[in-house]
Amino acid sequence: EVQLLESGGGLVQPGGSLRLSCAASGFSFSSYAMSWVRQAPGKGPEWVSSMSGGGGTTNYADSVKGRFTISRDNSKNTLYLQMNSLRADDTAVYFCAKDRSVGAVADPFDYWGQGTLVTVSS
Amino acid sequence: DIRMTQSPSTLSASVGDRVTITCRASQSISNLLAWYQQKPGKAPKLLIYKASNLDSGVPSRFSGSGSGTEFTLTISSLQPDDFASYYCQQYISHSECTFGQGTKLEIK
């Protein structure tokens, strides 16, 4: 059974940093691109960042480019999101999500974690 | 950036009704369109990919159609479990992936 479990969310002041983790199990983690998707209260989902299975390719939404860094440790089946220079508009539930297919140029997300809440406020 | 526009934003319907939700892309995305269902406090659930393919385990009352810039999600006979929010997503590449603003399906 595929499972994705996020952790690391919490309350942080504007300008602060947080590191999110997503522990994966039940599938060949290193074979799949993984993404972070966030959802602000009452809003639709917003893609944040993705990383290829081997870690060689990363992509970021313009809204987080230069502030967030995605990484993965395939030996630990874990995806990370380092978030720096946090702003109030980064407040959201952050989900990790798995690509549906191996090696696709782009793919929808067939499994999502339960999400971890990040609140940026003074 | 490709913008995805869903309509309506809210839809009131009854059990047994046939309902259709529309999603329009600001430029052609071929058939690289997915639909998700989301219930309060839960993660989105993939229903349909490549515009018309049902994901594993999704009931056959859900169907999708369209290509280019116009897409629809149809639920043929609403069940109580279907009252939720629905989002379309274009996934033309890993560097550009956007969601619609959502359609909330409410009980009439």
Side-chain angles (χ1 to χ4, degrees):
Chain A
E1 179 192 7
V2 171
Q3 291 194 331
L4 300 171
L5 184 62
E6 302 96 338
S7 60
L11 175 64
V12 61
Q13 292 189 338
S17 298
L18 274 179
R19 188 197 198 200
L20 306 184
S21 300
C22 171
S25 62
F27 65 103
S28 178
F29 182 70
S30 63
S31 296
Y32 289 85
M34 297 290 295
S35 295
W36 289 98
V37 179
R38 68 185 180 184
Q39 189 169 27
K43 303 294 185 182
E46 178 192 14
W47 169 78
V48 171
S49 182
S50 65
M51 175 171 265
S52 60
T57 301
T58 58
N59 294 285
Y60 298 93
D62 287 345
S63 58
V64 307
K65 205 171 291 184
R67 301 187 298 123
F68 290 12
T69 302
I70 191 172
S71 62
R72 63 193 295 162
D73 185 337
N74 286 343
S75 69
K76 295 183 178 179
N77 288 353
T78 302
L79 180 74
Y80 303 99
L81 186 68
Q82 177 66 44
M83 304 186 295
N84 299 331
S85 303
L86 283 161
R87 312 185 302 222
D89 62 358
D90 294 317
T91 294
V93 174
Y94 284 72
F95 298 97
C96 65
K98 167 189 166 292
D99 266 20
R100 186 180 177 278
S101 305
V102 173
V105 172
D107 228 24
F109 309 127
D110 64 344
Y111 286 93
W112 300 58
Q114 86 291 348
T116 187
L117 177 62
V118 172
T119 303
V120 184
S121 176
S122 55
Chain B
D1 289 1
I2 299 173
R3 294 181 308 279
M4 307 300 293
T5 304
Q6 286 182 234
S7 60
S9 296
T10 307
L11 180 57
S12 296
S14 302
V15 172
D17 284 353
R18 178 184 178 92
V19 298
T20 297
I21 299 169
T22 298
C23 179
R24 289 185 175 85
S26 61
Q27 65 188 73
S28 177
I29 57 170
S30 184
N31 67 340
L32 299 180
L33 191 284
W35 289 98
Y36 297 84
Q37 177 192 69
Q38 187 177 31
K39 296 183 178 179
K42 300 293 187 182
K45 173 189 173 184
L46 178 64
L47 298 175
I48 288 171
Y49 63 97
K50 284 190 177 178
S52 61
N53 294 275
L54 256 61
D55 197 35
S56 176
V58 174
S60 59
R61 63 181 180 272
F62 291 91
S63 63
S65 65
S67 66
T69 61
E70 292 257 344
F71 302 88
T72 59
L73 171 70
T74 299
I75 309 173
S76 60
S77 178
L78 275 173
Q79 299 301 302
D81 191 50
D82 299 338
F83 292 95
S85 292
Y86 292 84
Y87 296 94
C88 62
Q89 175 212 13
Q90 67 82 10
Y91 54 95
I92 198 165
S93 77
H94 273 127
S95 61
E96 181 164 18
C97 153
T98 47
F99 292 82
Q101 83 282 9
T103 295
K104 186 176 182 181
L105 180 52
E106 299 179 330
I107 300 175
K108 185 184 286 185

